[in-house]
Amino acid sequence: MLNEIASGAAPLSASHTTESLSPWWRRAALITMAFGFAVLILLTTKVYTDAPPIPDQVISSTGAVVFTGKNISDGQLVFLKYALMDNGSIWGHGALLGPDFSAEYLHTLALHSATSIAQQIYDTPLEQLAPAQRAMVEAEVRTALKDNRYDPQTRVLTVGPAYEAWFQSRPSVWIEYFSSPVKNGGLSAKTISDPVELRQLSAFVAWTAWASSANRPGTTHSYTNNFPYDPVAGNTPTANALLWSALSLIFLLGGTAAVLLAFGKFDYLGWKARPGYLHPKILGAQVTPGQRATLKYFALVALLLLAQTLVGGAVAHYRADPGTFYGFDLAAWFPSNLLRTWHLQLAIFWIATSYVAGALFLAATLGGGDPAGQKKGIDALFLGLVVVVVGSLLGEWAGMRQLLPDLWFWFGHQGWEYLELGRAWQILLAVALLFWFGLLVRALLPAWRDPERREIAGLFMCAAVAIPVFYLPAMFFNGTTHFSIVDAWRFWIIHLWVEGFFEFFVTVMVAIIFLQFGVVTRLTATRVIYLDAILYFAGGFIGTGHHWYWTGQTSLNMALSALFSALEVVPLTLITLDAWDFVRLSRPGSDSTRERVEVPHKWTFYFLMAVGFWNFVGAGIMGFLINLPIVSYFETGTLLTINHGHAAMMGVFGMLGIALIVFAIRQTADEALWRTLEKYIWVGFWGLNVGLLMMVVFSLFPAGVLQLMDVLDNGYWHARSLAYTGSDLARLLEWSRMPGDTVFIVFGVIPIAIAAVRAYLAARKTPRGAGAPIL
């Protein structure tokens, strides 16, 4: 029996040994995946024909060329080269340190047009008009902005004199914006000063504003479904946004009812404890050299997490006080868009590295040991990851400092939010992930050959191979690709890669951990994996499109994405059904002598329970709050988005990453070392969860609600402008993040980092070839 546990096959009772899984679980998972992919691919390919057209020429009513399609493309390159997507946003996608450039341009263009019309008709300044006169002027403005004068045959867009005049004035507006960190959210002074680049940037932003307002042919709304909200410019919610929001609630209620009915009828669904088992524990297994080699990964993970949180604190400070960092001109060397880039990239790096190491650790346990040369492969992969992490972070700094004039896209900063690392580093990362998958396959082959473990091992391989394969869409575009097309592929990574296949991968790893503990049977673990795959894929694949509501997609995307995005909440609600099972399994049990037996991996269980809590709160409640089209229309790109991002990314994927750290430390540390490290784990657990909760409750959520109210009262452009973000109340709520950030870093991250580094240093002192018992 000890050998079975050591090899990863927990002993099965006779009743469970003879049970088998219905083939319909596999078929249902494959059918769900095929259907979801078919619809997602349809929506993705449609953007190539439905995206807002880029005219070859934009001409005035007199026939003069205002700007060209090449100017628009070059302007997008300027936007990317200077990392302005990590400062402000386009169509709501980007950072919140600066304005939404599309919304700001559209609103100021509308005001400029209204001023011109008021002067022409009434010879009176706009602000001095009588209410009826002003209403007539604004109606004229809305009509002019909504009129689509693009000719698809000649690919020429004709604009009025007010549009031309406002475009010509934009370079001076940009000069003012880039003049000081106080005015632009922490950019370096004079980030862009070249007149040619300023004109090109103006062309790109002017085009995005035109696409935001001009009616899509055959409809009564713009290419971006009337986003951003701006009544002065004629942008108000569409009927589709209201209709599909209401219908998505029906999908949510129906899906939840169906799943709850299934859980009521079939009492074996979910994390059901193994009959007769008293306490979760692994006995007699040996720590392999490859497993011990993963401890340096976890030490690196903890240090990257620490760096990410410190950088994140600096980014939050930029929103609270962009002009100075406690008297130091931080923007001169580390501008806000660079620090935000590092904050995002470090988060991706440390979470992904934790999963990479955790998978290697679990593969050795499930496979029964290390294949020949596995440790050398793990060491080589570690060096490769270090090169990618350090090289890409330095490259982003060099690219934004304009030290890579011709190579910024390849080795510097690509400019696309979440995918900032240069294309060369992306390729190296993809190669490293493929190499990692090869290491996993080598370790899992013994389990694959064992009929008892074959299905679990196969699911592990399927979940793992999806990680490198579905990272490839990050390379389907470049700096000149249409913005709408890029956003489609970008969210294949941000949503599908992370919230789809990483969710699946997470479920498989958690199932394997529980299987190794012996608290569930092989049948239960396999069934839960298939069930979660069906539920996550049913809504998650097509639900990717909820990020595309306002980026140039049609109403078809809104309809399908709203309905299926609502289903993403269903599996998250099921976490509440599993909550008591998690609590029960983590409690001390009693052995045959009725003595209390402590659960060796209780802190791993606690972090897994935290994953469940934040999955429901951060991804479920906070995510669904902003997913409905009618809510997203007013909210996207506000602090409610950041609120969801922090609660879901850190609360779910981050807590699981730390659970893997704790699991590996407990498995490899002897009892004396563990007693020393456990107090750091205890403090870190509560520090991370309490600190994250304080961030959400004291700052991010209330600040997001108030910003949403400002959108409703004054328009999207205003809530994203310095007029609101620089107000006393907005700045006060930013400062109110400090207590939560302090608790999170000092009492959460630092203790975990100490434990991970000390565990690694202790492992280095272990004699080569030693295989100390796990427990």
Side-chain angles (χ1 to χ4, degrees):
M1 183 176 292
L2 291 180
N3 290 335
E4 287 179 327
I5 298 176
S7 66
L12 305 175
S13 64
S15 62
H16 281 77
T17 303
T18 57
E19 284 189 82
S20 61
L21 192 71
S22 168
W24 277 105
W25 283 104
R26 306 179 192 95
R27 295 168 189 168
L30 291 173
I31 291 170
T32 303
M33 183 184 298
F35 174 75
F37 261 127
V39 177
L40 181 62
I41 291 172
L42 170 66
L43 296 176
T44 303
T45 54
K46 276 182 64 63
V47 75
Y48 283 84
T49 56
D50 296 336
I54 298 178
D56 290 339
Q57 288 186 326
V58 177
I59 64 172
S60 68
S61 53
T62 62
V65 176
V66 182
F67 56 90
T68 67
K70 187 176 185 308
N71 295 146
I72 296 172
S73 180
D74 290 342
Q76 180 173 294
L77 287 174
V78 172
F79 178 78
L80 298 174
K81 183 171 73 168
Y82 290 95
L84 295 184
M85 201 173 187
D86 280 302
N87 170 248
S89 59
I90 295 292
W91 299 334
H93 287 178
L96 278 70
L97 296 157
D100 183 90
F101 297 113
S102 307
E104 186 269 343
Y105 191 101
L106 178 61
H107 186 76
T108 53
L109 171 62
L111 291 181
H112 173 78
S113 300
T115 301
S116 299
I117 294 173
Q119 199 67 37
Q120 292 171 7
I121 298 178
Y122 300 107
D123 195 25
T124 303
L126 179 66
E127 60 273 9
Q128 295 179 13
L129 293 179
Q133 293 174 324
R134 179 155 187 158
M136 185 176 294
V137 168
E138 291 180 349
E140 288 284 341
V141 171
R142 290 192 291 270
T143 300
L145 291 176
K146 286 295 178 184
D147 183 21
N148 190 341
R149 302 172 68 185
Y150 172 73
D151 185 342
Q153 303 300 320
T154 62
R155 298 184 58 84
V156 171
L157 171 63
T158 305
V159 297
Y163 188 104
E164 179 184 12
W166 185 239
F167 175 79
Q168 301 299 347
S169 70
R170 288 301 296 183
S172 61
V173 176
W174 287 122
I175 291 174
E176 178 68 14
Y177 178 76
F178 291 122
S179 64
S180 167
V182 176
K183 298 177 180 179
N184 55 43
L187 295 176
S188 299
K190 298 181 179 179
T191 298
I192 308 177
S193 56
D194 185 345
V196 175
E197 290 185 328
L198 292 175
R199 182 177 176 83
Q200 292 169 340
L201 179 62
S202 297
F204 170 64
V205 175
W207 169 77
T208 66
W210 169 79
S212 300
S213 58
N215 282 341
R216 182 187 290 273
T219 72
T220 57
H221 56 75
S222 73
Y223 292 98
T224 61
N225 291 303
N226 280 359
F227 182 85
Y229 174 59
D230 190 341
V232 175
N235 272 8
T236 54
T238 65
N240 284 316
L242 293 167
L243 173 65
W244 296 113
S245 295
L247 293 180
S248 69
L249 294 176
I250 297 176
F251 255 54
L252 170 63
L253 294 175
T256 302
V259 172
L260 291 178
L261 177 64
F263 266 68
K265 179 176 176 58
F266 306 107
D267 58 1
Y268 54 77
L269 296 179
W271 293 113
K272 301 305 178 184
R274 176 184 176 78
Y277 197 83
L278 300 176
H279 55 273
K281 189 173 183 179
I282 302 176
L283 296 172
Q286 300 290 312
V287 180
T288 71
Q291 287 177 317
R292 197 174 297 280
T294 63
L295 289 178
K296 58 177 167 287
Y297 286 75
F298 293 118
L300 175 64
V301 165
L303 296 176
L304 291 177
L305 169 60
L306 178 60
Q308 189 232 344
T309 55
L310 294 175
V311 170
V315 174
H317 183 92
Y318 269 120
R319 285 202 296 271
D321 183 11
T324 177
F325 188 79
Y326 302 106
F328 178 71
D329 184 12
L330 187 64
W333 292 98
F334 300 101
S336 59
N337 54 345
L338 173 64
L339 292 186
R340 187 185 186 261
T341 294
W342 283 352
H343 185 58
L344 294 179
Q345 291 303 303
L346 284 168
I348 295 171
F349 283 143
W350 79 258
I351 292 174
T353 302
S354 182
Y355 290 8
V356 163
L360 291 170
F361 196 102
L362 290 173
T365 304
L366 188 62
D370 287 342
Q374 185 77 347
K375 181 182 181 300
K376 292 181 179 179
I378 292 174
D379 291 340
L381 176 62
F382 178 79
L383 292 176
L385 291 175
V386 169
V387 169
V388 171
V389 171
V390 176
S392 64
L393 294 177
L394 292 178
E396 286 155 358
W397 174 83
M400 292 177 63
R401 299 288 293 181
Q402 306 308 310
L403 300 178
L404 303 170
D406 299 321
L407 298 173
W408 60 272
F409 182 83
W410 283 93
F411 295 98
H413 190 297
Q414 275 195 49
W416 300 111
E417 184 193 28
Y418 290 104
L419 299 173
E420 290 93 346
L421 70 167
R423 178 58 51 83
W425 305 116
Q426 281 186 333
I427 295 172
L428 289 176
L429 179 59
V431 171
L433 290 174
L434 287 171
F435 183 72
W436 162 74
F437 176 69
L439 293 176
L440 282 183
V441 170
R442 297 177 76 245
L444 291 170
L445 281 178
W448 172 259
R449 299 188 184 105
D450 179 2
E452 286 292 314
R453 293 175 287 161
R454 174 171 298 165
E455 189 142 23
I456 288 287
L459 288 169
F460 199 176
M461 292 181 193
C462 289
V465 75
I467 304 303
V469 168
F470 286 95
Y471 185 71
L472 295 180
M475 303 175 199
F476 289 178
F477 52 84
N478 57 37
T480 59
T481 305
H482 193 293
F483 193 93
S484 297
I485 295 173
V486 171
D487 245 31
W489 290 118
R490 213 165 55 89
F491 282 101
W492 272 62
I493 309 300
I494 301 170
H495 182 99
L496 184 64
W497 191 57
V498 174
E499 297 183 46
F501 289 104
F502 261 121
E503 288 274 15
F504 180 46
F505 189 61
V506 164
T507 300
V508 173
M509 287 202 293
V510 171
I512 291 173
I513 290 174
F514 283 173
L515 185 63
Q516 300 309 304
F517 286 168
V519 299
V520 299
T521 65
R522 172 185 55 82
L523 185 64
T524 296
T526 309
R527 185 188 293 123
V528 168
I529 292 172
Y530 280 120
L531 176 63
D532 280 7
I534 293 168
L535 294 176
Y536 279 121
F537 294 165
F541 280 16
I542 304 173
T544 302
H546 75 252
H547 298 282
W548 304 335
Y549 290 153
W550 326 117
T551 61
Q553 291 269 20
T554 63
S555 299
L556 175 65
N557 170 74
M558 182 181 293
L560 293 172
S561 300
L563 296 178
F564 285 90
S565 181
L567 293 180
E568 291 182 90
V569 183
V570 174
L572 302 180
T573 62
L574 299 181
I575 292 171
T576 59
L577 299 180
D578 293 328
W580 186 248
D581 289 331
F582 272 65
V583 172
R584 181 164 47 83
L585 293 177
S586 67
R587 287 179 171 175
S590 58
D591 60 16
S592 57
T593 65
R594 299 186 179 278
E595 293 182 354
R596 300 279 286 179
V597 180
E598 289 297 322
V599 178
H601 282 280
K602 68 176 182 179
W603 288 109
T604 302
F605 273 96
Y606 289 172
F607 274 104
L608 291 178
M609 283 190 282
V611 170
F613 171 80
W614 288 109
N615 218 340
F616 181 70
V617 174
I621 297 175
M622 301 302 184
F624 184 71
L625 172 66
I626 63 177
N627 271 7
L628 294 179
I630 192 58
V631 179
S632 176
Y633 178 76
F634 296 105
E635 172 282 330
T636 190
T638 68
L639 284 166
L640 281 179
T641 301
I642 292 182
N643 176 63
H644 161 62
H646 280 70
M649 187 73 172
M650 179 61 219
V652 180
F653 298 105
M655 290 297 178
L656 177 68
I658 297 172
L660 293 171
I661 295 177
V662 174
F663 175 72
I665 291 175
R666 184 65 182 103
Q667 291 287 83
T668 56
D670 58 33
E671 287 298 319
L673 178 60
W674 174 249
R675 284 194 295 272
T676 301
L677 299 181
E678 187 176 17
K679 60 179 178 290
Y680 295 106
I681 304 298
W682 182 89
V683 174
F685 173 81
W686 291 110
L688 289 172
N689 284 281
V690 172
L692 183 57
L693 187 64
M694 291 172 66
M695 281 188 229
V696 170
V697 173
F698 295 160
S699 178
L700 296 177
F701 182 72
V705 171
L706 291 177
Q707 191 174 25
L708 175 59
M709 291 176 62
D710 191 75
V711 173
L712 296 169
D713 290 338
N714 301 303
Y716 186 79
W717 71 274
H718 184 271
R720 289 292 311 277
S721 71
L722 194 62
Y724 176 78
T725 59
S727 65
D728 291 341
L729 179 58
R731 294 282 168 85
L732 176 62
L733 287 169
E734 289 293 347
W735 281 112
S736 66
R737 265 194 63 173
M738 183 172 286
D741 285 5
T742 301
V743 170
F744 188 85
I745 296 172
V746 175
F747 298 101
V749 177
I750 292 178
I752 295 295
I754 292 173
V757 171
R758 288 190 62 179
Y760 165 64
L761 294 177
R764 292 192 62 184
K765 297 177 182 178
T766 302
R768 186 179 299 274
I774 288 179
L775 293 173

